[in-house]
Amino acid sequence: MASLPLRNIRHQHALRHGLTYHRQSILHRRTLASSVPPSGSSRSTLRTTSYTVLFAVSAGLFAAYYLDARSAIHRYVLTPVLRYTFDAETGHKIAVKVLRSGLGPRDIVKDDDVLRSEIFGFDVSNPVGLAAGFDKDGEAIDGLFNLGFSWVEVGSVTPKPQPGNPRPRVFHLPADSALINRYGFPSQGAAAVVSRLRARIPTFYDVNEASTGALRSGAVLAVNLGKNKTSPADSSEDFVSGVNTLGPYADVLVVNVSSPNTPGLRGLQNRELLESLLKDVVEARNALEPSPVTSRRPRLVLKVAPDLEEPQLAEMAEVIRNSDIDGVIVSNTTVARPSSLIDQNKAETGGLSGRPLKPYTLRALKTLRAHLPASIPIIGCGGISSGADALEYGRAGASFVQLYTEFGYDGVGTCRRIKDELASLLKREGKTWGDVVNESAARLSWKEPPTPLPAPVREGEATIGKLVEEAKMLLSLVDQLGKKMSGSPES
């Protein structure tokens, strides 16, 4: 009987040991199971990681592609979509806002040395600028410089804010690669533009002899001065106000007397009014203190219309020669409508720009070049859409060129494309842009006529000058005779 409890104790001990072992086995299996993930979960994690990496790489490549102004997506996708999705003015405003945001594309290629140029004493990396009219209120200055332009011209800026003409006031002519606008100087006013120009200036800015309003090397900033619609048509007051207000922040001030969309403005191109206007703006410029941004006073440039006849242009050139104006921009838009226009918008009122403007501008350029000395540079603006066009302007006497309508049609890579085409043409000829400009200026520019020699005196023909000479000779002989008589011994 004593053995029975012992057997029970042993049985209970074995039972407990077995249960403990069983529990440990189960725990061990669970531990192993938790340490090795299921095959489905492994594949899911790998797939997520792969997608993340692929997205990051794709986004990086697309960003690099988008930010390069040369990318085909800008010329063949984004710009056409913008043009055909929105009306002309809305598309224009969207483009300005994108460039203002800092998210716009950039020209990432260094300019070729054959394009180096000099204008008004400024060394610039290339001779291609952006004309006034695109950035009217100075909102996207740096975004535009980032596209490779060496000259960005904001405006037209009027002293007081004004809305411009009623909408619609801008019309695409895609069939003619042209544009008609009747904006009428919509402007936020000089004060708004000045505030933006001031905001661009770095807190710690070191001014030196090479400093420009562009705040970067190899580029210049110009401001186009406009006239308020309510101001007297024959008054220079608005332009003088613009010189005083905007002069300290710009390298160049452009006096715009050639827009066809402000009543009476083109009348300032008449001789008497032009002489008075140029005198007033030159005096205002000369009275400015040297700029705190550039350490110099701004250059003054006159922008003229392409519709003037040759005698009018010759007369204007004479007025310019007799003033202290530094240069001329040829030209603004034209009121002419060439018979070659085929687009349905060709009958709209306003100024025509784009490729059909080129013959008018070249004609005016050649006339002015023949009546202005080489010391007064001419900037060509009108219908330039290729490097060949730019070179043609250079050979006609332009020191610099500007784009406007082609930039709107062709997109942000326009400047780089034209620069590359121009550089290729120059290298083919073994020349630089400076060579072309200097040769054309020497060959085509007006030269001071030589001082005429006095007409010879014909035999038997007496003149006052001849009589004076003879009288002097007689006086000299009398003096000599008197001295001899006074020196002889008395008899």
Side-chain angles (χ1 to χ4, degrees):
M1 298 294 293
S3 62
L4 184 58
L6 181 60
R7 284 198 302 270
N8 290 337
I9 291 171
R10 287 175 179 172
H11 179 72
Q12 291 174 1
H13 179 74
L15 185 61
R16 290 193 189 98
H17 179 73
L19 290 172
T20 301
Y21 178 78
H22 179 67
R23 288 171 182 168
Q24 288 177 346
S25 298
I26 292 173
L27 180 63
H28 181 65
R29 286 196 299 269
R30 288 177 178 175
T31 303
L32 288 175
S34 64
S35 64
V36 179
S39 59
S41 175
S42 175
R43 287 195 295 271
S44 176
T45 302
L46 182 61
R47 188 183 302 114
T48 301
T49 303
S50 299
Y51 286 160
T52 302
V53 172
L54 181 62
F55 176 78
V57 171
S58 300
L61 290 174
F62 179 77
Y65 181 72
Y66 165 80
L67 291 174
D68 188 342
R70 299 170 298 170
S71 299
I73 190 174
H74 298 297
R75 186 178 188 182
Y76 298 112
V77 179
L78 297 181
T79 300
V81 165
L82 192 64
R83 184 165 65 248
Y84 290 112
T85 305
F86 303 96
D87 65 88
E89 184 166 350
T90 301
H92 179 183
K93 289 182 177 180
I94 291 173
V96 171
K97 299 303 180 187
V98 171
L99 292 170
R100 176 185 182 179
S101 71
L103 300 176
R106 295 167 181 260
D107 179 8
I108 59 176
V109 181
K110 182 181 181 296
D111 288 336
D112 197 296
D113 286 342
V114 299
L115 298 177
R116 295 198 67 82
S117 183
E118 186 271 335
I119 186 78
F120 305 127
F122 301 109
D123 292 322
V124 293
S125 62
N126 69 78
V128 183
L130 179 66
F134 183 82
D135 187 7
K136 297 180 180 297
D137 296 301
E139 298 178 81
I141 294 171
D142 292 300
L144 291 166
F145 276 126
N146 289 340
L147 297 180
F149 293 106
S150 66
W151 168 307
V152 170
E153 186 174 326
V154 303
S156 292
V157 182
T158 57
K160 301 174 185 177
Q162 65 177 27
N165 293 325
R167 298 180 67 168
R169 51 193 180 181
V170 193
F171 306 91
H172 286 133
L173 282 69
D176 301 301
S177 297
L179 187 78
I180 291 176
N181 91 82
R182 49 173 180 265
Y183 267 120
F185 288 167
S187 175
Q188 296 176 14
V193 176
V194 165
S195 68
R196 293 191 181 103
L197 296 178
R198 286 177 175 169
R200 293 181 62 244
I201 303 172
T203 303
F204 301 101
Y205 180 64
D206 183 23
V207 181
N208 55 58
E209 292 181 357
S211 298
T212 68
L215 304 181
R216 61 183 70 199
S217 61
V220 295
L221 175 65
V223 177
N224 188 291
L225 304 180
K227 190 179 180 67
N228 280 118
K229 189 174 182 178
T230 56
S231 299
D234 58 352
S235 171
S236 63
E237 184 177 346
D238 283 3
F239 295 107
V240 170
S241 173
V243 170
N244 292 330
T245 305
L246 294 155
Y249 306 98
D251 301 304
V252 180
L253 295 176
V254 180
V255 181
N256 186 353
V257 294
S258 49
S259 170
N261 301 315
T262 298
L265 184 66
R266 286 193 168 188
L268 290 172
Q269 296 177 118
N270 296 332
R271 182 176 189 124
E272 294 77 12
L273 292 177
L274 185 61
E275 285 176 335
S276 176
L277 170 63
L278 297 188
K279 176 177 176 294
D280 291 344
V281 294
V282 166
E283 288 179 354
R285 187 272 308 272
N286 293 345
L288 291 174
E289 294 293 327
S291 167
V293 180
T294 67
S295 74
R296 65 179 73 85
R297 297 178 181 86
R299 306 297 194 272
L300 283 174
V301 175
L302 182 69
K303 187 167 186 175
V304 304
D307 304 310
L308 299 173
E309 297 297 328
E310 185 171 344
Q312 293 174 294
L313 289 167
E315 187 176 69
M316 178 179 285
E318 184 180 357
V319 173
I320 294 169
R321 290 200 308 267
N322 294 328
S323 71
D324 285 329
I325 288 292
D326 299 294
V328 181
I329 295 178
V330 182
S331 64
N332 213 312
T333 57
T334 180
V335 295
R337 294 294 184 267
S339 59
S340 60
L341 296 180
I342 59 174
D343 196 276
Q344 60 182 1
N345 286 327
K346 65 182 181 179
E348 291 291 344
T349 302
L352 173 72
S353 62
R355 297 186 187 184
L357 176 61
K358 182 183 169 186
Y360 297 89
T361 300
L362 275 174
R363 179 191 62 82
L365 167 63
K366 292 174 181 178
T367 300
L368 279 174
R369 183 72 284 166
H371 290 86
L372 288 174
S375 59
I376 299 180
I378 299 178
I379 298 170
C381 177
I384 296 171
S385 60
S386 66
D389 289 337
L391 186 57
E392 185 177 1
Y393 269 77
R395 287 176 174 150
S399 300
F400 203 85
V401 296
Q402 289 183 328
L403 311 179
Y404 180 70
T405 303
E406 186 67 16
F407 176 55
Y409 273 103
D410 209 35
V412 293
T414 307
C415 183
R416 169 47 56 193
R417 177 177 60 81
I418 289 177
K419 289 190 294 185
D420 286 346
E421 291 174 2
L422 177 58
S424 177
L425 291 171
L426 290 170
K427 288 179 178 178
R428 193 180 305 168
E429 297 183 8
K431 295 181 179 180
T432 67
W433 176 259
D435 294 335
V436 173
V437 170
N438 293 335
E439 289 171 8
S440 299
R443 178 170 49 89
L444 302 172
S445 297
W446 177 87
K447 298 172 181 62
E448 187 78 41
T451 303
L453 297 173
V457 179
R458 298 175 183 175
E459 185 177 352
E461 181 180 359
T463 66
I464 295 176
K466 187 70 174 176
L467 292 174
V468 171
E469 285 184 19
E470 292 177 352
K472 288 180 179 179
M473 291 177 60
L474 288 173
L475 287 173
S476 176
L477 291 173
V478 169
D479 288 341
Q480 293 177 14
L481 180 59
K483 289 177 181 179
K484 289 181 181 180
M485 291 180 64
S486 62
S488 61
E490 292 182 2
S491 54

